[in-house]
Amino acid sequence: MINEKNVKELWILYESYKEEFYKRNYSDQKCEDFESYIENNVTKCNNCQRYILNEDIGFNELALQDNICINCMDDGYGS
């Protein structure tokens, strides 16, 4: 999933995660490493082809089945 073309986009997501992690946790706790975080928390929208957090996938059956982000669903995907 991680390659030369997408590493910058994925790294931005990871940096946001780290920033939030250290705001919420003690400094002695260790956050997930880059590869693990991407594998467990990020997916690619099949419509817009952007990488998104799993929590940003739409909630209805069509969105979950087709792996479509909330933004694409709001823009009328499937209608």
Side-chain angles (χ1 to χ4, degrees):
M1 180 173 174
I2 301 171
N3 59 44
E4 275 184 56
K5 293 181 183 180
N6 66 16
V7 73
K8 285 183 183 179
E9 187 176 356
L10 295 172
W11 190 258
I12 291 169
L13 292 173
Y14 181 66
E15 285 293 321
S16 296
Y17 154 72
K18 283 189 354 180
E19 184 178 315
E20 286 299 315
F21 181 88
Y22 288 121
K23 282 181 185 176
R24 295 180 183 180
N25 297 288
Y26 294 107
S27 60
D28 62 341
Q29 290 182 317
K30 187 168 170 90
C31 63
E32 282 186 82
D33 64 19
F34 176 68
E35 292 85 7
S36 297
Y37 177 74
I38 297 304
E39 283 181 23
N40 297 326
N41 299 292
V42 176
T43 193
K44 188 174 186 177
C45 174
N46 288 330
N47 189 53
C48 66
Q49 301 301 306
R50 289 184 35 222
Y51 290 93
I52 55 170
L53 296 175
N54 291 340
E55 62 196 39
D56 292 332
I57 294 175
F59 297 106
N60 67 29
E61 187 176 338
L62 178 63
L64 294 172
Q65 177 183 347
D66 292 352
N67 215 27
I68 305 299
C69 70
I70 293 171
N71 292 334
C72 289
M73 291 304 296
D74 289 345
D75 288 342
Y77 177 84
S79 54

